[in-house]
Amino acid sequence: MKKSFFFAAFLFATLIITMMSCNNNKEKAETETTTSGAIQFASDESFSPIVEEERKQFEFLYKNAQLTPIYSDDIDGFEQLMAGKVHLYFTSRDLKQGERNYIETKLNVTPLVYRIGYDGVTFIVNKANTDTCITVNDVRRILSGEAKNWNQIVAGSKRGEIEVVFDNNRSATLHYCVDSILGGKPIDSPNIVAAQNSQGVIDYVEKTPNAIGVIGSNWVMDQRDSKHLTFKMNIQVMSVTNAKVATPNNSYKPFQAYLLDNRYPFVRTIYAILAGRGHKLARGFAEYCSSDKGQLIIMRSGLLPYRADINLKEVNVK
């Protein structure tokens, strides 16, 4: 009789614990919506200023949402996405077909890709450098290693060898230069410096007169200027032209208008890639970035939103 009683009590207790566990799991699942819950997501570090602004505004609007960013290089970010460690990744390219097939097969989910904006791959030089206009062809010559010295770009220059500074050798910025500027050929400049991150690029150029830094334009916009017509004062942003000879009149900086009308030649798309079944908050944040509110944040940052009705007007200034 006692054995039967204790056995029945044991079964009852087990049933209660199981029911409580199921309820807890159900409650935990139900706490994540498109505007609430807690997740981690990844982004290439070169986009961290604009992604941070989107994140802060999203969390301000939705008090029950907690978004924890992982800012890393482009290769590591894609690896985390493909392994299912994160379900949202901000980068500068769409998924390749092989990557899409892998996600669909291994993660059993159809990935979604949101285009949210454009930024300019920007070339910066030291404040003392007066040679701030450059041609697309000269950029290629520098990156390919054909032009190693400043006097090969600017006749009579005394600045010596050109040091090319990237954030790191696995970044989306470097991949853009290889794929879109060099046509898939490797960067072969003899003086390549890896500064570890985008702020490191700015710091290195600030103290190195012969350096050219390569960086996303969202890092160099002076946020104190609401019209986004100036850049940070501790470095200079180069003007770039497709013409054979660069002059102040035919060269352009990565302002919004010049990203829009393609006068600035080095423009890349910012993508938010979603790869996760049932991860509602990740989807909610990606959709927010591509919504009117998210696009307005990109517009105000000095970058070019993907969805925007923009009209350009010529103004004669006397």
Side-chain angles (χ1 to χ4, degrees), residues 8-305:
F10 173 77
L11 289 178
F12 180 74
T14 302
L15 179 62
I16 293 297
I17 293 171
T18 302
M19 292 175 63
M20 291 176 63
S21 176
C22 291
N23 287 335
N24 288 338
N25 290 335
K26 183 178 179 181
E27 289 175 3
K28 184 178 180 180
E30 289 177 349
T31 59
E32 183 177 314
T33 70
T34 55
T35 58
S36 65
I39 61 165
Q40 286 186 327
F41 70 92
S43 170
D44 184 87
E45 185 270 340
S46 66
F47 296 124
S48 59
I50 185 59
V51 172
E52 270 297 287
E53 189 62 29
E54 294 279 7
R55 181 190 67 83
K56 290 176 182 178
Q57 292 301 322
F58 185 86
E59 289 184 341
F60 178 80
L61 187 62
Y62 303 110
K63 306 296 185 183
N64 294 322
Q66 182 179 347
L67 306 172
T68 303
I70 303 171
Y71 294 117
S72 63
D73 61 69
D74 199 42
I75 294 176
D76 183 63
F78 268 107
E79 287 176 348
Q80 292 190 67
L81 185 74
M82 305 294 279
K85 294 180 180 179
V86 298
H87 306 287
L88 178 63
Y89 179 50
F90 292 86
T91 184
S92 64
R93 67 171 177 84
D94 200 344
L95 288 170
K96 298 176 182 177
Q97 189 57 51
E99 294 167 335
R100 186 177 294 275
N101 293 342
Y102 182 90
I103 291 172
E104 291 176 348
T105 302
K106 298 296 183 180
L107 302 184
N108 193 29
V109 63
T110 300
L112 299 176
V113 178
Y114 300 82
R115 293 171 175 82
I116 64 171
Y118 304 94
D119 86 332
V121 172
T122 305
F123 296 84
I124 62 174
V125 293
N126 185 269
K127 191 67 178 174
N129 193 333
T130 57
D131 301 313
T132 58
C133 296
I134 194 168
T135 70
V136 169
N137 186 53
D138 282 339
V139 170
R140 292 194 182 103
R141 292 173 63 221
I142 291 170
L143 295 178
S144 67
E146 179 186 343
K148 303 177 178 64
N149 198 293
W150 273 100
N151 60 25
Q152 294 175 272
I153 302 299
V154 181
S157 175
K158 304 296 185 182
R159 290 189 181 84
E161 293 185 336
I162 300 171
E163 293 189 52
V164 183
V165 192
F166 284 93
D167 42 6
N168 64 77
N169 60 5
R170 294 157 54 97
S171 73
T173 304
L174 186 140
H175 292 160
Y176 174 89
C177 290
V178 170
D179 296 337
S180 299
I181 299 179
L182 295 180
K185 297 179 181 179
I187 293 174
D188 199 25
S189 174
N191 296 310
I192 294 288
V193 178
Q196 303 304 317
N197 55 45
S198 297
Q199 184 59 53
V201 174
I202 296 173
D203 295 341
Y204 191 93
V205 169
E206 185 178 1
K207 63 183 181 182
T208 310
N210 64 321
I212 294 181
V214 190
I215 197 171
S217 62
N218 67 139
W219 272 93
V220 296
M221 287 290 179
D222 189 342
Q223 298 303 319
R224 295 170 297 180
D225 177 13
S226 60
K227 295 181 180 179
H228 305 297
L229 297 176
T230 56
F231 298 100
K232 291 182 177 179
M233 301 301 292
N234 54 339
I235 47 90
Q236 296 199 83
V237 174
M238 301 192 83
S239 300
V240 187
T241 181
N242 276 304
K244 291 183 178 180
V245 178
T247 69
N249 292 329
N250 69 5
S251 305
Y252 302 94
K253 298 182 188 293
F255 295 128
Q256 280 177 338
Y258 300 151
L259 299 181
L260 177 64
D261 65 11
N262 293 318
R263 277 186 278 185
Y264 189 78
F266 302 131
V267 182
R268 60 180 178 174
T269 307
I270 306 172
Y271 295 87
I273 301 177
L274 182 69
R277 184 184 299 279
H279 295 278
K280 298 177 182 178
L281 183 55
R283 188 180 79 247
F285 183 46
E287 291 177 348
Y288 172 83
C289 293
S290 64
S291 71
D292 290 343
K293 291 179 180 178
Q295 294 289 282
L296 184 59
I297 292 170
I298 292 175
M299 172 71 81
R300 289 175 175 173
S301 75
L303 302 184
L304 184 66

Side-chain angles (χ1 to χ4, degrees), residues 301-315:
S301 75
L303 302 184
L304 184 66
Y306 183 75
R307 295 190 306 102
D309 185 12
I310 301 174
N311 295 315
L312 298 180
K313 296 181 179 179
E314 290 190 3
V315 178

